[in-house]
């Protein structure tokens, strides 16, 4: 028996409000020796498949176009497609176009069998009628046996398509294990019924066709001939059924359509049914616990925020989700006490700093529910001239300085866009400004883009974008970098916290920014003379100033306050010490229908549905941790403090983090991820239909954002920078992470108008994209939790790393540094590529071996192998739940309800070794020394840009050194990063 893997995620009731991972048994394992071995590996490149894939895609598209054109031509001519064979258009079009070429023969065989079965049924029906009426005595025999035969004929003629051909057809069309196994299950029942029709059921008094043949063959030769024909039909049907069952089973296994994947699809279908059209809506408005995500403002640390956390915990617990608890942290927060903004000259204008009510949006009526302010802005009282500084970047301030415009001591007016708002304030602070006003220009998200709310999705004139301006030297609580902000944690003095701004800042609307901009006209230089993008979207000419005079007063109260993460832990059965974390933040600047409730609703519903499934006996093979984070809007507080609190345990257990944030605002799917998870996301989108087009999400995504790679044209998966809760997982610990969303026109970001009414009118009026996203998330989460070999692949990393190395070479050349230094990166990437491809081969071989072993599991479905391992799952059809959670779901083996693992799950040493390399390979990119000056960020490949904030910068330490002009330092950093890449290769090749 394989050794038991201890679960560090297991908790007891006494521990729910302290450390949810507390476990004395792992205390000795936390102090691991530092250092990582280096390995060598080879380079290989095989881009030939790209052209092959392109040709195949072009052939399919052309074939589909021709077929559709033929059908259209026939329709216009009044000629309809032939009616025979039945469903001709379906077979002719979908098999030749929609079914992959290697699967077409099997699907055609299924169709041919269905036609043959229907033909035999018609023949048998006619024969039975002849027998019945050939002699009066024959009628007396019908109720006992032929009656059953007639019922069977009726059943076969009406249900064979639905239960045999169609599920298998869908299985091969959609590459769906679930449909294929439904076919095999029903087909097994069909074979058993054929056997019953031949011999009857012993002891039941049922004669069966053999007995009927003997009875009629004795004294009635004509009837006997017909009876023989009937019997021959049944025999042929039975033989063909057995042959076909074996053919489909073998083909299913060879195609990788395993029972394990069927189980994942079943659970995913359960998740989808929990967040169907109405359930997605209920995710915002559920009343079962008084929980309503968007009914009240719930800024971090507020009473409403805590009430929401407690309601979610109660809802999860009631649904059956185990180990639910609230984890409390105590970060620094600020709230506005008072603020005012007045233009004193050339004309007086008093800004209202309010967002007025909008007709039809009830929640907008409370204009001061959360006053307009910026997180972590200090208090201030400034009277000074105004200067317009465009987006407020370092380059913008340099452009002003080059034109003799001095911003020192001035109130600087900048607009949102281009970079994180905190960098705007920091750049102004470094330039000597006294205060900053940040406004949303209509060119970015207002009337220039389209109709404004409530007539359209864009920002109305008096809408204000709140947000944090914490400087991103590190994430989380400003006073406790690197350690969790527990109640009794040691804290920095507020004046010494490097991430806190030193000058006051306030957000305003473009409607109230206009008088301040107009006061600058004719002073300084015309903005468009600096660059075209300095002119915004208001109907005035933008000038730089300095000019006019304004008074800004801000009184912000700072205090250490509690925030509340809602958590649940579903312990894995096979590998409880390996975990997948999924989360979304819950706090909002005001009501937050899109940000964050569209994502929180999905996570809450997933937790609720998994809880109901847990009640019914389902267990994941690996541990799943579900979270709704608090305090994200201030600076990723809840997630960062939790990660810092459990960094050692996460380092030893977590294999992936799935993040959702502002998840649904339109129909355009986007994903950002570690390249190791990119193919998993792409595969998930191939299995989900786009609600608008009816085609696969993948296809629409690829058309809009496709890029050419050595493995073909695929949708672009963006790199992860910062701005959401994946940051501490990926960039501090080195846990592969993914963030997914559907995007669209959205102009009410962080305003009072990001409301349920906005979502219902513009974001997702049908709630179908919430459903689609939930299904995609399920098809990412469940393979990570269940697949015997983790669905992680480091080969896509190679292409990305080579692209980033080229960017380094270009930057070196632009800075007059030796371009050949980048060659050290190329050499290390060659080593990494060899290790990644070798690991892919090992993983693929294990998957093929596992598919072969699934023969025994398939036998279990047919009821022919009672001696299987106790952990084998069987499929069962369930339904009738109170929330519409009905569908095919995994059911535990009745003799062993506590287990749901395959006979050879990852406890097997080979699986364990490969999975550890796949699950922990991202750790290889971690340099514990961190980026110089920003040591909290430890990932050598990805970090938020030094001056962009949310956007990712690749090989950040190298580029920052190049920008500083530090030639010697750049040389050393490149050598260090190259060594880290070799270490990462070593972890994959170990």
């Amino acid at each position: 028996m394989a050794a038991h893997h201890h679960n560090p995620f297991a908790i007891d009731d006494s521990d729910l409000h302290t450390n949810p991972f507390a476990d004395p048994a792992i205390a000795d394992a936390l102090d691991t020796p530092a250092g990582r071995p280096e390995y060598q590996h080879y380079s290989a490149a095989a881009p030939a498949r790209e052209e092959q894939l392109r040709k195949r895609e072009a052939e399919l598209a052309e074939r589909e176009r021709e077929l559709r054109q033929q059908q259209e031509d026939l329709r216009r001519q009044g000629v309809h497609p032939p009616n025979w064979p039945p469903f001709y258009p379906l077979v002719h079009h979908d098999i030749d176009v929609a079914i992959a070429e290697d699967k077409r023969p099997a699907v055609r065989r299924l169709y041919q069998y269905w036609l043959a079965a229907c033909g035999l049924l018609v023949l048998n029906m006619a024969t039975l009628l002849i027998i019945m009426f050939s002699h009066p005595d024959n009628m007396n025999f019908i109720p006992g046996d032929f009656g059953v035969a007639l019922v069977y004929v009726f059943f076969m003629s009406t249900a064979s398509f639905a239960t045999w051909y169609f599920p298998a057809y869908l299985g091969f069309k959609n590459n769906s294990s679930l449909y294929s196994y439904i076919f095999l299950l029903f087909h097994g029942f069909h074979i058993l019924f054929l056997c019953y029709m031949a011999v009857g059921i012993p002891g039941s008094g049922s004669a069966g066709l053999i007995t009927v043949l003997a009875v009629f063959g004795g004294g009635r030769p004509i009837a006997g001939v017909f009876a023989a024909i009937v019997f021959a039909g049944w025999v042929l049907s039975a033989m063909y059924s057995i042959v076909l069952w074996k053919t489909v089973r073998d083909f299913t296994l060879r195609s990788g359509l395993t029972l394990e994947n069927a189980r994942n699809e079943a659970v995913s279908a359960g998740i989808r049914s929990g967040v169907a059209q109405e359930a997605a809506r209920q995710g915002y408005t559920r009343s079962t616990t008084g929980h309503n995500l968007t009914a009240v403002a719930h800024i971090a640390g507020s009473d409403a925020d805590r009430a929401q956390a407690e309601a979610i915990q109660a809802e999860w617990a009631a649904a059956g989700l185990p180990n639910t608890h609230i984890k409390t942290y105590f970060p620094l927060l600020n709230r506005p006490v008072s603020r005012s903004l007045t233009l004193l000259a050339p004309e007086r204008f008093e800004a209202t700093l309010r967002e007025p009510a909008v007709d039809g949006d009830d929640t907008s009526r409370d204009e001061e529910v959360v006053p307009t302010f910026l997180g972590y802005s200090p208090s201030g009282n400034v009277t000074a001239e105004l200067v317009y500084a465009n987006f407020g970047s370092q380059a913008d301030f340099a452009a002003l300085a080059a034109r003799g415009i001095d911003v020192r001591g001035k109130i600087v007016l900048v607009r949102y866009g281009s970079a994180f708002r905190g960098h705007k304030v920091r750049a102004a602070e470094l330039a000597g400004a006294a205060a900053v006003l940040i406004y949303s220009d209509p060119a970015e998200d207002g009337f220039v883009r389209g109709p404004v709310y409530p007539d359209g999705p864009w920002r109305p004139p008096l809408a204000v974008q709140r947000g944090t301006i914490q400087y991103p030297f590190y994430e989380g609580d400003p006073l406790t970098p690197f350690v969790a902000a527990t109640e009794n944690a040691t804290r920095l003095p507020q004046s010494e916290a490097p991430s806190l701004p030193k000058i006051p800042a306030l957000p305003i609307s473009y409607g109230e920014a206009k008088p301040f901009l107009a006061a600058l006209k004719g002073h300084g230089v015309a903005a468009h003379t600096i660059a075209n993008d300095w002119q915004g979207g208001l109907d005035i000419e933008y000038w730089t100033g300095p000019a006019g005079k304004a008074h800004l007063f801000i009184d912000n109260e700072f205090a250490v306050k509690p925030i509340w993460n809602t958590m649940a832990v579903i312990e894995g059965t096979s590998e409880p010490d390996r975990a997948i974390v999924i989360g979304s933040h819950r706090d909002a600047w005001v009501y937050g229908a899109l940000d964050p409730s569209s994502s929180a609703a999905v996570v809450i519903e997933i937790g609720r549905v998994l809880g109901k499934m847990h009640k019914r006996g389902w267990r994941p093979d690996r541990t799943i941790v579900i979270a709704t984070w608090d305090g994200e809007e201030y600076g990723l507080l809840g997630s960062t403090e939790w990660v810092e609190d459990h960094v050692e345990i996460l380092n030893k257990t977590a294999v992936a983090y799935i993040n959702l944030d502002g998840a649904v605002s339109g129909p355009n799917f986007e994903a950002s991820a570690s390249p190791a998870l990119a193919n998993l996301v792409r595969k998930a989108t191939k299995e989900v239909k786009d609600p608008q087009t009816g085609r696969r999400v993948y296809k629409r995504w690829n058309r809009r954002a496709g890029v050419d790679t050595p493995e073909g044209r695929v949708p672009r998966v963006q790199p992860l920078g910062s701005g959401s809760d994946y940051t501490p997982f990926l960039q501090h610990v080195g846990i592969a992470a993914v963030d997914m969303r559907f995007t669209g026109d959205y102009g009410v970001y962080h305003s009072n108008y990001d409301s349920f009414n906005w979502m219902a009118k513009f974001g997702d009026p049908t709630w179908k994209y919430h459903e689609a996203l939930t299904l995609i998330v399920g098809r990412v989460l469940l393979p990570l939790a269940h697949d015997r070999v983790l669905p992680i692949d480091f080969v896509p990393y190679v292409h990305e790393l080579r692209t980033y190395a080229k960017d380094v070479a270009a930057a070196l050349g632009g800075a007059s540094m030796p371009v050949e230094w980048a060659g050290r990166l190329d050499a290390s990437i060659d080593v990494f590529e060899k290790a990644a491809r070798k690991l892919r081969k090992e993983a693929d071989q294990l998957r093929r071996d596992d598919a072969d072993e699934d023969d025994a599991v398939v036998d279990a479905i047919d009821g022919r192998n009672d001696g299987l391992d106790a952990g084998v799952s069987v499929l069962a059809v369930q339904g009738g739940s109170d929330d519409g959670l009905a569908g095919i779901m995994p059911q535990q083996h009745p003799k062993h309800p506590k287990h749901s693992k395959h006979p050879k799950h990852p406890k097997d040493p080979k699986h364990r070794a490969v999975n550890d390399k796949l699950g922990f390979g991202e750790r290889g990119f971690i340099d514990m020394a961190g980026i110089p000056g920003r040591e909290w960020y430890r990932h050598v490949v990805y970090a938020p840009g030094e001056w962009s904030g949310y956007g990712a910068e690749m090989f950040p330490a190298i580029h920052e050194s190049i920008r500083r002009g530090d030639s010697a330092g750049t040389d050393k950093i490149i050598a260090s990063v190259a060594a880290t890449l070799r270490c990462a290769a070593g972890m994959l090749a170990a």
Side-chain angles (χ1 to χ4, degrees), residues 250-499:
D250 293 345
F251 183 81
T252 297
L253 294 177
R254 285 198 307 273
S255 299
L257 302 178
T258 64
L259 186 63
E260 178 178 291
N261 291 339
R263 175 180 58 186
N264 292 347
E265 290 185 57
V267 180
S268 186
I271 290 177
R272 179 181 62 174
S273 65
V275 189
Q277 213 166 354
E278 187 57 29
R281 189 183 186 94
Q282 290 176 2
Y284 293 91
T285 61
R286 183 175 306 286
S287 59
T288 54
T289 61
H291 165 47
N292 188 320
L293 290 178
T294 59
V296 296
H298 48 286
I299 191 171
S302 65
D303 291 341
D305 179 37
R306 178 171 187 166
Q308 196 176 88
E310 292 171 345
I312 293 169
Q313 182 197 7
E315 185 173 343
W316 278 354
L321 205 57
N323 301 324
T324 63
H325 58 282
I326 292 175
K327 183 60 182 176
T328 305
Y329 293 101
F330 297 84
L332 180 71
L333 301 175
N334 71 315
R335 293 283 193 279
V337 176
S338 172
R339 74 237 187 277
S340 65
L341 175 63
T342 307
L343 179 65
L344 302 174
E347 295 179 355
R348 187 177 182 86
F349 170 76
E350 187 81 28
T352 66
L353 305 180
R354 289 172 177 262
E355 296 173 300
V358 168
D359 290 340
D361 191 340
D362 292 339
T363 55
S364 71
R365 300 191 186 284
D366 190 348
E367 300 175 7
E368 283 282 281
V369 61
V370 177
T372 55
F373 80 110
L374 293 171
Y376 297 124
S377 168
S379 300
N381 190 354
V382 179
T383 301
E385 287 185 300
L386 289 163
V387 173
Y388 169 64
N390 195 26
F391 289 113
S393 67
Q394 280 190 309
D396 290 334
F397 282 105
L400 290 174
R403 288 159 178 78
I405 299 168
D406 189 359
V407 303
R408 288 177 296 178
K410 308 295 193 300
I411 297 176
V412 175
L413 182 62
V414 301
R415 56 186 175 129
Y416 277 113
S418 181
F420 167 58
R421 68 185 74 80
H423 288 314
K424 301 173 188 290
V425 178
R426 183 183 171 209
E429 181 183 308
L430 292 175
V436 180
L437 301 175
I438 311 179
Y439 79 100
S440 301
D441 196 277
E444 302 302 315
D445 61 4
F447 62 80
V448 174
R449 304 294 302 275
V452 302
Y453 188 69
D455 299 320
W458 296 106
R459 188 176 299 274
L462 295 178
V464 178
Q465 182 190 141
R466 298 158 183 81
T468 186
I469 56 171
Q470 181 183 13
Y471 298 164
F473 294 109
Y474 48 86
E475 304 292 350
D477 176 36
L479 305 185
T480 59
F482 292 93
V483 298
T486 56
E487 189 168 12
N488 299 315
T490 301
R491 289 173 167 79
L492 295 173
Q494 192 171 325
S495 60
E496 297 179 13
S499 67

Side-chain angles (χ1 to χ4, degrees), residues 616-688:
R616 297 173 182 177
W618 167 81
R619 300 292 184 272
D621 291 304
R622 300 180 184 91
T623 295
I624 297 176
V625 180
I626 310 173
T628 66
W629 310 114
D630 201 359
E632 188 270 357
E633 296 292 10
Y634 275 89
L636 319 184
L637 303 182
S639 58
T640 298
E641 301 315 310
W642 187 80
V643 168
E644 291 176 342
D645 205 7
H646 307 101
V647 63
E648 294 291 352
I649 295 174
L650 288 169
N651 189 45
K652 292 176 175 299
T653 59
V655 299
Y657 173 67
I658 300 169
N659 187 69
L660 296 175
D661 186 2
V664 181
S665 60
N668 302 314
F669 182 78
E670 292 181 359
S672 302
S674 161
L677 294 176
N679 283 341
L680 175 60
V681 177
R682 291 173 181 133
K683 181 177 184 295
T685 60
K686 289 179 180 178
E687 299 168 354
V688 178

Side-chain angles (χ1 to χ4, degrees), residues 125-179:
M125 175 70 81
T127 305
L128 286 169
L129 291 174
I130 292 172
I131 293 174
M132 286 165 50
F133 294 103
S134 65
H135 193 280
D137 292 342
N138 295 348
M139 300 295 291
N140 299 327
F141 202 81
I142 291 172
D145 296 279
F146 278 180
V148 175
L150 289 172
V151 170
Y152 178 69
V153 167
F154 177 76
F155 167 78
M156 291 295 295
S157 61
T158 57
S160 60
F161 184 82
T163 58
W164 299 352
Y165 170 70
F166 200 57
Y169 164 81
L170 288 176
F172 291 120
K173 179 179 179 181
N174 299 329
N175 203 39
S176 166
S177 306
L178 184 60
Y179 282 118

